[in-house]
Amino acid sequence: MKKVLIVFGVFIILLVAILAIVPVIFKDDIKAAVDDALAESVNADIVWDAEDFSLSIFSNFPNVTAGLNNFGVLNRAPFEGEILFAVQELEVEVDLFSLLGDQIKVNGILLNNPEINIKVLEDGTANYDIAIPGEDNPKTAADTATEAATAYNIGIDHWEIISGHIVYDDATLPFKLELKEFQHTGSGDLNQDEFDLSTYTRADSVTVVFDGIEYVSDKSLEADVVITISEEFGKYTFKENVAKVNDFTLSFDGFLALLPDGSMDMDIKYAAPESSFKSLLSLVPGVYTEDFASIKTDGTLSFTGGVVGKYDSLTLPAFNLNLNVDDAMFQYPDLPTSISNISMNMTVDNKDGNIDNTIIDLKSFHMDFGQNPIDAKVLIKNLVNYDLNASVNGRLNLAELSSMFPIEGTSLKGIYAVNVTANGIYDSIKNQIPTISANMSLSNGYLKSAEFPYALEDLQFKASVKNESGNMDDLYAKVDDFTMVMDGEPFKADLTFENLANYTWDLTASGGIDLEKITKVFPLDGMELKGQLKADLKTKGNMASLESEKYDQLPTSGTVSIVGFAYADAELPYNVTISQAEASFDPRKVSINSYQGTVGRSDMTITGSVSNYIAYLFGDNEVLTGTMNYKGTLLDLNEFMEEEPEEATKPAEEEVTETAEEYGVIPVPDNIDFLMKSSISKVEVMDMAITNAVGDIVVQNGVARFKNVKFNLLEGAFAVNGAYDTRDLEKPKYDFDLDVKDLSIQQSFTTFSMVQSYAPIAKLVNGSLSTDFKVSGLLNEEMMPDLASVNADGLLKIAQATLGGSKIMKSINSLTNFTSSADGQTTLKDVLMSATIEDGKLKVKPFDVKLGDYETTISGSTSLDGGLDYTLKTSVPAGKLGSQFTSLASSLTGGNVSDDTMIPLQIGLGGTYDNPKPKLIMDDQKQQATAAVKNKAKEEVKDAAGDLLNNVKDDKAKDLIGSLLGGKQETDTVKADSTQTTDPKKALEQAAKDKIKDLFKKKKKN
């Protein structure tokens, strides 16, 4: 028995040890298995780590406790990168023995710091629909979860959420709910046919937005709810339910049932169990503050309502709301005056669920601000044509407001009065509005906030709105004597506005505005403004004239000036300043009398005029025309280009270092017709510096045309005529005639990609060229020429330049010994070449150049991929060709070749710039070399014969030799074989013998 106990004890110890260490040993295997299963079933990125996973049976035995920390689910497209669910700590308690049966009992679930983000797009796409459906039986995530719960009969005893953040954003409704610091506990036996679900919920901040309107803003929420769930989770009956928003409490009773067709049936009644006016006051924005508990209040409240009927995508239930407030008041602590005599009687009623049939009836409203009463009533009978009957009447001393209502850091003064009545129907189709009589005024107004250093003083205006017939064209509104002063700068305006069927206006405004001070009062996020703006404007007209483009019937005139303007925006890489500017205008044009300012590093002085500006501002597809005189010392175009940083790569030794940023296409507006007469000392574009730029630029229909534009660039002088065309932004075009004098050849290689691709040898040329060149093509998205589209032709002139260190010249020199210098340097002088670019090739017509000591004719082409195809024709003394060429010449001519014999050479140059491959064109070479040697031999025979003739004394012999020399020469038909002599004297003797033999043969025959 003792042994049995020992064995059993050892077994128990081993079992406990195994249960303790298995989760640790197999963490990585468990994670891999879970990841594989999720990858097959979930279309989302699951983020978790095996080290954050725990499994224990000891912490809560007999429950198995599984824990997972730092777990997250990230959506994929179309919600890519957004968090669907994340939790700092997730814990699940499962009854160990229930795992052996058909009912898994989950005793508890804990979510600590969860982040839950539910989002539904307008087309119904939901970010929570992440299950990958099977091919044979596609299911949603909800289907899968329901089937799993049914198969295993899972029950949950209790659950808890700590410090959650929950967002539900459904664009199909459109509705958005956000809960912050959400705390929730719940319990209930979900395996029963009917059970009570008890929950407690609290949130520090609740925001509810419906159809763009924020109905609940950052309110606290507390709810203690008991719901009876029955009919297989189909019916929810409210038993003991209390919800509290700030200090306002509501209770519910009734039921909500889920119907088989997917709709809901409901009968819910709600009421405020408390009758204190203070609870309602807590819902008013700005009132519910830290010292709200100490506010003195009085008055009674009655709030009831209900929702009855069916709800689905097409139907709403009927609803009603009743609110009554009697004899209420409130007074903040430490403030001497109360807001008193508050009463309200309001009903919102909808009897059939059709939202258009909603009635809003504010039967009465009254409150006293100190000695100033305000009364109002509003009746809206439907939400279709808004049958309206309303009135508001009141007078308010703004200075007293601070003694009744705390507006921290804000000071108000002035007497505001309002008297409004409206009665009738609003129907935009019939051009009908309610009859209106409204008068408003403000006198001796003053506004000062602690957040801003400047006060608005002497605020006053009188405004009236009248319409006695209810027709839109009879509306008349007027604002008289609007004035204000801000830090000593007065501003005044008058406005008349009438006829809603044909908006008609008459506006005058004058005064000065300090823009910086305005932004202190009304901050602009991410922007800074400075400057003194002064204006004296008059404008009047109507929409009919505007829409019919009768802009001459819109008299507008005045002057505007600005001094010390500065504009900075966090989204702009440059600032804008205007030291001073003045413009005057009439209906026809705006005259820019003066303008001096900067945009980034660029400075400009502008004068000119702009016409058709009213049509341009208000019309569609209208063209702004004008003439501008533009002067500047610097224009930095790089600041206006769209920059896209890219990863910089280290260039190869022979490559040009490129800038690590790309520029976007500069568009030419298609609705501007401008003539710009420009004079700019320096223009920077990409890595080029253009100086002394003058000329005319015509901007029209999306094309910028350059007329006799002259400038200096790369040590040369340019004259440009042509066009830059961005009508198709995907394929911007250029077409230029260039007249260039003394352009640096080497710098042109560094600057222009076209030169780098078509003439890479320019990198090694020191000197300058002049050209009369025509070039056209497309630009790419970096404002660089699309080399495959280039078409060009022109004449290139090189007065004098040097070429050194070229692999091409070194390879040719290895055959010809063109130059005798150690570095193979070649001097180019008085070179004139005709070149074209087409079909991706630079083609050069034959031109003469002196390479070393020898005249050479060059022609051929360079392709866009760097390939060379050139022919070089020249003549070189045989002594310069080396033994290989001398042997070749001797074998061709059948004898020795003298060193000074000029051998014609035809060299083909292939390969690439970095790997040139020169070769002799052998078919032509054999013929030319043979002819050259024979001609040399012939000349030597003639010289030898002349010497022989001078030494012969016999006249007959002289005549014979002379006849031989004057007759047909046979030396040019001598065969070039190895037995033929090349001795001139012997050749002459042999020729004479042959001549005599032929003579004798002829005599014998005779």
Side-chain angles (χ1 to χ4, degrees):
M1 188 63 183
K2 182 177 180 180
K3 290 182 179 180
V4 173
L5 291 174
I6 291 174
V7 172
F8 183 73
V10 171
F11 173 76
I12 294 298
I13 292 173
L14 289 174
L15 179 61
V16 171
I18 290 171
L19 292 174
I21 66 175
V22 162
V24 176
I25 294 175
F26 294 101
K27 275 185 177 181
D28 292 336
D29 293 334
I30 293 172
K31 182 179 188 304
V34 172
D35 285 343
D36 290 342
L38 290 174
E40 294 177 359
S41 59
V42 175
N43 182 29
D45 295 321
I46 310 300
V47 180
W48 67 295
D49 197 308
E51 296 300 322
D52 292 324
F53 173 71
S54 63
L55 185 65
S56 173
I57 66 169
F58 303 114
S59 61
N60 197 16
F61 189 81
N63 294 326
V64 177
T65 303
L68 183 59
N69 297 338
N70 305 315
F71 177 80
V73 180
L74 300 180
N75 278 123
R76 295 174 183 169
F79 307 95
E80 188 169 1
E82 295 183 8
I83 294 176
L84 171 61
F85 174 77
V87 64
Q88 183 180 1
E89 180 184 3
L90 169 63
E91 191 174 280
V92 180
E93 299 176 13
V94 180
D95 187 307
L96 176 62
F97 300 108
S98 71
L99 296 174
L100 304 177
D102 61 355
Q103 177 180 332
I104 298 176
K105 186 176 182 181
V106 179
N107 284 332
I109 297 177
L110 170 68
L111 298 176
N112 189 5
N113 279 320
E115 186 83 20
I116 302 173
N117 179 33
I118 305 298
K119 192 169 187 178
V120 182
L121 302 180
E122 289 185 4
D123 62 2
T125 304
N127 70 337
Y128 55 80
D129 190 8
I130 60 174
I132 298 176
E135 295 181 0
D136 298 331
N137 186 24
K139 302 180 181 68
T140 65
D143 295 332
T144 304
T146 301
E147 290 184 7
T150 302
Y152 293 101
N153 198 18
I154 296 176
I156 303 174
D157 184 64
H158 62 271
W159 54 90
E160 182 176 6
I161 297 175
I162 301 173
S163 298
H165 179 211
I166 301 173
V167 176
Y168 178 77
D169 187 356
D170 191 337
T172 63
L173 296 177
F175 173 83
K176 181 177 180 181
L177 168 68
E178 182 173 11
L179 306 172
K180 298 179 181 178
E181 283 300 311
F182 180 75
Q183 320 292 335
H184 175 78
T185 59
S187 63
D189 191 347
L190 276 63
N191 287 308
Q192 300 297 319
D193 293 335
E194 181 174 327
F195 63 93
D196 287 345
L197 180 67
S198 299
T199 65
Y200 173 78
T201 304
R202 182 172 62 83
D204 290 353
S205 173
V206 179
T207 299
V208 177
V209 180
F210 179 74
D211 200 16
I213 300 175
E214 196 167 274
Y215 289 93
V216 179
S217 302
D218 196 26
K219 306 298 184 184
S220 65
L221 169 69
E222 186 175 5
D224 195 350
V225 177
V226 178
I227 302 175
T228 298
I229 299 178
S230 59
E231 298 180 8
E232 297 183 350
F233 291 86
K235 186 174 182 179
Y236 301 82
T237 303
F238 298 96
K239 295 179 66 176
E240 302 170 12
N241 306 285
V242 176
K244 188 175 182 182
V245 180
N246 284 352
D247 269 20
F248 186 74
T249 304
L250 281 177
S251 63
F252 299 84
D253 61 45
F255 73 89
L256 184 151
L258 304 179
L259 303 179
D261 61 1
S263 63
M264 291 186 291
D265 187 23
M266 63 189 73
D267 186 353
I268 301 173
K269 294 180 174 59
Y270 55 86
E274 296 184 14
S275 60
S276 169
F277 170 73
K278 186 177 182 180
S279 64
L280 180 64
L281 191 64
S282 71
L283 300 180
V284 178
V287 172
Y288 194 72
T289 59
E290 293 181 358
D291 58 353
F292 180 77
S294 60
I295 291 178
K296 181 181 178 181
T297 65
D298 198 2
T300 59
L301 164 72
S302 173
F303 182 83
T304 60
V307 180
V308 180
K310 187 177 179 180
Y311 171 76
D312 57 27
S313 59
L314 300 175
T315 308
L316 289 174
F319 58 90
N320 67 84
L321 177 155
N322 301 284
L323 173 63
N324 285 278
V325 176
D326 291 320
D327 298 326
M329 58 80 63
F330 69 93
Q331 182 177 351
Y332 275 85
D334 303 325
L335 293 181
T337 309
S338 65
I339 297 176
S340 59
N341 295 328
I342 303 172
S343 63
M344 178 189 301
N345 185 352
M346 183 176 74
T347 298
V348 177
D349 192 24
N350 183 290
K351 297 185 181 301
D352 58 8
N354 185 341
I355 193 69
D356 292 338
N357 296 331
T358 301
I359 296 174
I360 301 172
D361 189 3
L362 178 61
K363 298 180 177 64
S364 64
F365 176 85
H366 177 86
M367 71 167 56
D368 289 336
F369 280 89
Q371 302 299 316
N372 301 292
I374 292 180
D375 290 280
K377 65 177 181 178
V378 176
L379 172 62
I380 301 175
K381 294 182 180 180
N382 62 74
L383 303 183
V384 178
N385 58 14
Y386 297 92
D387 190 352
L388 174 69
N389 188 348
S391 65
V392 178
N393 187 20
R395 184 175 182 274
L396 185 60
N397 186 336
L398 299 178
E400 291 183 356
L401 195 60
S402 59
S403 68
M404 294 176 284
F405 194 90
I407 307 175
E408 186 176 353
T410 300
S411 177
L412 290 172
K413 297 179 183 178
I415 302 298
Y416 175 75
V418 58
N419 189 330
V420 177
T421 60
N423 188 14
I425 292 173
Y426 172 78
D427 190 329
S428 60
I429 297 177
K430 296 180 180 180
N431 287 335
Q432 186 176 359
I433 60 174
T435 60
I436 299 173
S437 175
N439 293 281
M440 291 168 282
S441 66
L442 175 65
S443 59
N444 300 318
Y446 176 91
L447 171 62
K448 176 70 171 64
S449 172
E451 298 180 7
F452 314 118
Y454 310 106
L456 297 179
E457 303 176 89
D458 294 337
L459 278 166
Q460 55 185 350
F461 68 87
K462 293 180 181 179
S464 61
V465 180
K466 293 187 180 298
N467 185 296
E468 297 179 352
S469 67
N471 295 322
M472 285 188 176
D473 53 5
D474 288 336
L475 180 78
Y476 178 86
K478 186 174 184 180
V479 179
D480 283 332
D481 299 326
F482 175 87
T483 62
M484 73 173 188
V485 176
M486 189 175 73
D487 196 34
E489 288 284 353
F491 179 82
K492 63 180 298 183
D494 294 288
L495 171 65
T496 299
F497 183 85
E498 54 187 315
N499 192 355
L500 293 180
N502 178 22
Y503 301 137
T504 304
W505 66 88
D506 187 345
L507 169 68
T508 62
S510 64
I513 296 176
D514 189 314
L515 297 177
E516 183 177 17
K517 294 174 182 176
I518 287 291
T519 59
K520 297 293 184 182
V521 179
F522 305 104
L524 301 174
D525 187 28
M527 297 183 189
E528 293 183 9
L529 276 178
K530 296 180 180 179
Q532 300 286 335
L533 177 66
K534 293 187 177 181
D536 187 358
L537 309 176
K538 294 182 179 180
T539 178
K540 63 180 179 179
N542 57 66
M543 283 300 297
S545 298
L546 192 62
E547 291 173 350
S548 61
E549 302 180 2
K550 298 178 180 179
Y551 303 113
D552 57 335
Q553 298 180 12
L554 303 171
T556 301
S557 62
T559 60
V560 176
S561 65
I562 190 167
V563 177
F565 175 84
Y567 170 71
D569 191 323
E571 297 183 0
L572 281 180
Y574 50 83
N575 296 337
V576 178
T577 69
I578 303 174
S579 58
Q580 67 88 22
E582 181 180 336
S584 58
F585 49 91
D586 56 39
R588 295 179 301 106
K589 67 178 182 179
V590 176
S591 298
I592 301 175
N593 304 320
S594 65
Y595 180 101
Q596 292 180 348
T598 65
V599 178
R601 298 175 61 232
S602 306
D603 66 280
M604 55 200 71
T605 299
I606 299 174
T607 59
S609 63
V610 177
S611 301
N612 201 40
Y613 69 96
I614 296 179
Y616 178 79
L617 289 174
F618 296 103
D620 294 328
N621 302 317
E622 293 291 337
V623 177
L624 188 68
T625 62
T627 300
M628 291 291 168
N629 299 303
Y630 182 105
K631 292 183 179 180
T633 57
L634 172 65
L635 176 59
D636 185 357
L637 292 178
N638 292 333
E639 291 187 304
F640 308 119
M641 295 182 179
E642 180 183 353
E643 298 184 6
E644 299 178 359
E646 62 178 13
E647 184 179 353
T649 56
K650 185 177 180 180
E653 181 178 352
E654 295 293 334
E655 293 178 348
V656 179
T657 302
E658 297 180 353
T659 177
E661 59 188 6
E662 298 179 353
Y663 298 98
V665 174
I666 303 176
V668 178
D670 57 5
N671 57 348
I672 289 181
D673 186 348
F674 262 40
L675 168 61
M676 294 189 64
K677 296 179 176 293
S678 304
S679 176
I680 309 171
S681 300
K682 184 178 182 181
V683 180
E684 293 182 358
V685 53
M686 290 178 282
D687 54 353
M688 292 183 290
I690 299 171
T691 59
N692 303 321
V694 296
D696 295 346
I697 301 176
V698 178
V699 178
Q700 188 178 49
N701 299 326
V703 181
R705 304 186 188 280
F706 297 76
K707 294 188 175 181
N708 201 27
V709 175
K710 298 180 179 180
F711 56 87
N712 297 109
L713 174 65
L714 307 180
E715 303 178 8
F718 285 69
V720 179
N721 288 278
Y724 166 59
D725 185 347
T726 62
R727 285 175 291 186
D728 183 353
L729 273 177
E730 298 296 323
K731 295 180 180 180
K733 298 186 292 187
Y734 61 93
D735 186 352
F736 291 115
D737 291 346
L738 307 175
D739 184 1
V740 184
K741 307 294 184 186
D742 302 324
L743 174 67
S744 169
I745 299 174
Q746 197 169 86
Q747 290 187 43
S748 69
F749 170 84
T750 304
T751 304
F752 300 121
S753 60
M754 194 181 302
V755 178
Q756 296 167 17
S757 298
Y758 286 119
I761 199 171
K763 180 181 180 181
L764 303 174
V765 178
N766 284 313
S768 60
L769 66 82
S770 299
T771 183
D772 183 2
F773 216 63
K774 295 183 177 180
V775 60
S776 62
L778 302 177
L779 294 172
N780 60 27
E781 61 271 15
E782 286 87 36
M783 287 287 289
M784 302 298 290
D786 178 1
L787 298 179
S789 69
V790 174
N791 285 288
D793 68 87
L795 202 60
L796 306 176
K797 306 172 187 176
I798 301 176
Q800 184 163 342
T802 59
L803 170 64
S806 168
K807 292 182 180 180
I808 293 176
M809 291 307 302
K810 288 178 181 179
S811 64
I812 295 174
N813 200 45
S814 66
L815 298 177
T816 63
N817 291 323
F818 271 157
T819 64
S820 58
S821 60
D823 61 354
Q825 181 167 295
T826 302
T827 299
L828 307 175
K829 188 174 182 179
D830 297 329
V831 176
L832 188 64
M833 68 179 76
S834 177
T836 61
I837 299 177
E838 58 183 358
D839 300 326
K841 289 186 178 181
L842 169 67
K843 299 177 182 179
V844 180
K845 295 179 181 179
F847 68 95
D848 296 329
V849 63
K850 195 170 186 178
L851 300 181
D853 298 326
Y854 311 107
E855 295 291 340
T856 304
T857 300
I858 301 175
S859 63
S861 65
T862 301
S863 61
L864 188 55
D865 60 5
L868 305 176
D869 184 11
Y870 283 91
T871 300
L872 289 76
K873 294 182 179 180
T874 187
S875 295
V876 181
K880 291 286 187 179
L881 296 177
S883 59
Q884 182 179 358
F885 277 89
T886 303
S887 299
L888 174 62
S890 297
S891 66
L892 293 174
T893 59
N896 296 323
V897 178
S898 61
D899 289 346
D900 60 346
T901 301
M902 298 300 291
I903 303 298
L905 295 181
Q906 186 162 338
I907 300 173
L909 181 61
T912 64
Y913 170 74
D914 291 323
N915 185 24
K917 295 179 180 180
K919 64 178 180 179
L920 289 172
I921 302 177
M922 295 305 298
D923 292 341
D924 293 338
Q925 190 62 51
K926 184 184 295 185
Q927 181 180 354
Q928 292 178 16
T930 301
V933 173
K934 287 181 178 180
N935 289 337
K936 179 66 174 177
K938 181 177 179 180
E939 293 301 324
E940 290 180 352
V941 168
K942 285 185 178 181
D943 292 341
D947 293 340
L948 178 63
L949 184 61
N950 292 331
N951 293 328
V952 174
K953 303 299 183 181
D954 186 87
D955 291 336
K956 290 183 178 181
K958 286 184 177 182
D959 292 339
L960 177 60
I961 294 172
S963 66
L964 290 174
L965 294 175
K968 183 179 179 182
Q969 303 299 314
E970 300 293 336
T971 57
D972 58 349
T973 60
V974 177
K975 295 181 179 179
D977 56 31
S978 59
T979 61
Q980 185 83 32
T981 178
T982 58
D983 186 337
K985 186 174 181 180
K986 290 182 179 181
L988 180 60
E989 291 176 355
Q990 183 63 43
K993 289 179 182 180
D994 294 340
K995 184 79 172 180
I996 292 172
K997 287 179 180 180
D998 290 340
L999 177 64
F1000 288 148
K1001 288 178 180 178
K1002 290 178 181 180
K1003 286 182 178 182
K1004 188 175 180 180
K1005 289 179 179 180
N1006 295 331

